[in-house]
Amino acid sequence: MANKVSIIGSGNAGLTAAYHFSLQGADVCLFGAKGFDQPLADIESRGGIEALSSFNDVPLTYAGFQQIDKVTRELDQAIAYSDLLILPVPSFAQEPLFIEMLPHLHDGQIIMLMPGNYGSLVLNRIKQEQGYGDLDITFVDAISIPWATRIVGPAEIAILGMKEFLPVAALPASKTQEVIARLQPVMPLPLTVLDNVISAGLENINFGGHPLLTTLNMGLLENFDGQFNYYKDCCSISTSKAAAVMEQERQAVGKALGLTLIPELEAMNALYAMECETVYEVNRTSETHGKLNSAPNSAGNRYITEDAAFLLVPCFEFGQLAGVATTMVTSCLHIDNAYNDTNYFVQGRTLNKMGLSGMSVQEIMDFVA
């Protein structure tokens, strides 16, 4: 009997997950919310999802065509289909989607967030506040999605590459090995264990590059409509020096929390099977990241609205709690606040939103253990 998995979300990662999990032999249910369900109509029209073998004359991997067992616009149907629920959605969509899911969930289900970005903590708080404290479900945070991928046409995706493995952590961390055993049969790459969901947030490799490089290059990105190869063109000798300072701050926060974080260079080399000597070299030479010209063209891009708000803000908050200065992180957030006329220190993923307000560092570590 095939393994079953439900994909909640029909964006780039959702369609790629549906395709790749099906390629792995799993039966897949793909949910798309009303108003965001055009990809489902395209799949229904074509009879499945095609992964292209090339795009813009660039050879691509994992090409083929896969039928999808079930597509639905009804959330309750997707939740009933499987006990494995994968949410490859932006961080800002996690909360409203989970509130809508709550009445339909049942004991024993796993909810995997890709990327996690501390979402497990937020959803666990919501579960308690909404009166579902006795509901026995397990949250899992992944550091990111497995793929570099794009929807490039109706029911067509371009998979530019895939990580060598995907680090994850459950809430509580004592369940991580158990949930990996349940999730691994449907996943197209190995899942590896992280200390806890806070480690999963701090290990998201978008932390060091996306918000800072986008912020520092905003004039060119806006004026030239993002017509760049983002990683090659937006990383320079000087911007890589600024990113190195931000990396030092991330490491210092992790150390103050009692976590041993993998250095960014080591993580990038391992995840993408490279042997680069600097992060600058990673950005300039990575085949996975350099295949297509695709860059943000405004401050409203997710590299700021998601990666600054849901990665940098938690790092700042943990730094404040542990007495660690995060000057580069804080500076980047202040500039992004000005860009988007907002206050990410309030609107972002704070300790209060994670249900950790008022706790000491040790109490937080015990809570997620």
Side-chain angles (χ1 to χ4, degrees):
M1 179 182 296
N3 294 294
K4 287 189 171 185
V5 59
S6 294
I7 311 298
I8 313 296
S10 56
N12 293 317
L15 260 66
T16 305
Y19 169 84
H20 216 158
F21 294 171
S22 296
L23 185 64
Q24 288 289 109
D27 287 338
V28 172
C29 176
L30 176 64
F31 166 79
K34 295 179 177 65
F36 300 92
D37 60 347
Q38 183 59 47
L40 303 188
D42 294 335
I43 293 168
E44 290 166 337
S45 176
R46 294 197 60 180
I49 299 172
E50 181 180 5
L52 301 182
S53 60
S54 67
F55 185 69
N56 288 346
D57 297 322
V58 176
L60 301 177
T61 50
Y62 311 108
F65 184 88
Q66 288 293 318
Q67 294 181 333
I68 307 303
D69 185 51
K70 182 180 181 66
V71 296
T72 182
R73 296 153 181 85
E74 304 299 329
L75 189 56
D76 60 337
Q77 292 183 11
I79 293 171
Y81 182 88
S82 173
D83 286 343
L84 305 180
L85 310 175
I86 313 295
L87 275 64
V89 299
S91 300
F92 57 79
Q94 292 170 347
E95 296 177 48
L97 183 56
F98 180 67
I99 290 172
E100 190 177 352
M101 292 170 63
L102 262 173
H104 309 293
L105 295 169
H106 58 259
D107 289 348
Q109 290 186 301
I110 291 173
I111 296 179
M112 183 181 190
L113 306 173
M114 300 193 309
N117 294 354
Y118 312 94
S120 287
L121 291 162
V122 177
L123 302 192
N124 182 68
R125 173 186 61 78
I126 292 172
K127 182 171 82 81
Q128 305 299 324
E129 293 178 351
Q130 295 284 325
Y132 290 87
D134 292 334
L135 180 63
D136 182 17
I137 58 176
T138 303
F139 299 107
V140 184
D141 281 359
I143 65 163
S144 64
I145 63 173
W147 313 273
T149 185
R150 298 285 188 275
I151 297 173
V152 295
E156 287 183 346
I157 57 175
I159 303 177
L160 310 178
M162 186 172 68
K163 296 176 176 63
E164 295 291 305
F165 56 93
L166 185 64
V168 302
L171 182 66
S174 59
K175 291 189 175 181
T176 300
Q177 293 281 12
E178 174 188 335
V179 298
I180 285 178
R182 292 180 61 186
L183 288 164
Q184 191 64 79
V186 305
M187 300 297 294
L189 77 175
L191 302 178
T192 61
V193 177
L194 288 171
D195 288 342
N196 52 49
V197 293
I198 294 173
S199 180
L202 286 169
E203 293 280 23
N204 186 326
I205 58 173
N206 291 341
F207 178 99
H210 285 181
L212 183 62
L213 292 186
T214 303
T215 299
L216 295 176
N217 287 278
M218 187 54 64
L220 288 174
L221 291 170
E222 286 187 336
N223 288 334
F224 292 91
D225 196 32
Q227 296 303 306
F228 297 94
N229 183 300
Y230 177 74
Y231 295 95
K232 289 183 179 179
D233 296 333
C234 291
C235 181
S236 67
I237 296 295
S238 296
T239 59
S240 65
K241 288 180 179 179
V245 173
M246 185 175 280
E247 168 66 4
Q248 291 171 4
E249 294 176 359
R250 182 184 73 96
Q251 289 286 345
V253 169
K255 183 178 180 180
L257 298 178
L259 301 171
T260 301
L261 303 180
I262 300 173
E264 181 183 12
L265 175 61
E266 183 180 332
M268 293 292 287
N269 277 334
L271 288 167
Y272 294 104
M274 299 183 295
E275 295 181 353
C276 296
E277 295 185 359
T278 64
V279 174
Y280 173 79
E281 183 184 352
V282 170
N283 285 323
R284 302 289 293 183
T285 65
S286 170
E287 292 185 5
T288 297
H289 298 89
K291 287 181 178 177
L292 297 179
N293 285 339
S294 176
N297 62 0
S298 78
N301 186 272
R302 67 178 178 85
Y303 285 8
I304 289 179
T305 59
E306 181 173 20
D307 293 338
F310 296 90
L311 292 177
L312 298 193
V313 170
C315 183
F316 164 80
E317 291 257 304
F318 286 124
Q320 289 282 99
L321 179 65
V324 176
T326 54
T327 305
M328 188 66 71
V329 167
T330 305
S331 299
C332 187
L333 286 167
H334 279 299
I335 296 171
D336 293 340
N337 285 343
Y339 282 166
N340 288 325
D341 191 26
T342 189
N343 185 349
Y344 288 123
F345 295 104
V346 174
Q347 301 300 325
R349 190 148 274 175
T350 62
L351 291 179
N352 184 57
K353 292 177 182 177
M354 290 185 268
L356 304 178
S357 182
M359 294 186 187
S360 67
V361 168
Q362 188 57 55
E363 287 170 336
I364 290 174
M365 291 299 110
D366 291 342
F367 181 73
V368 299

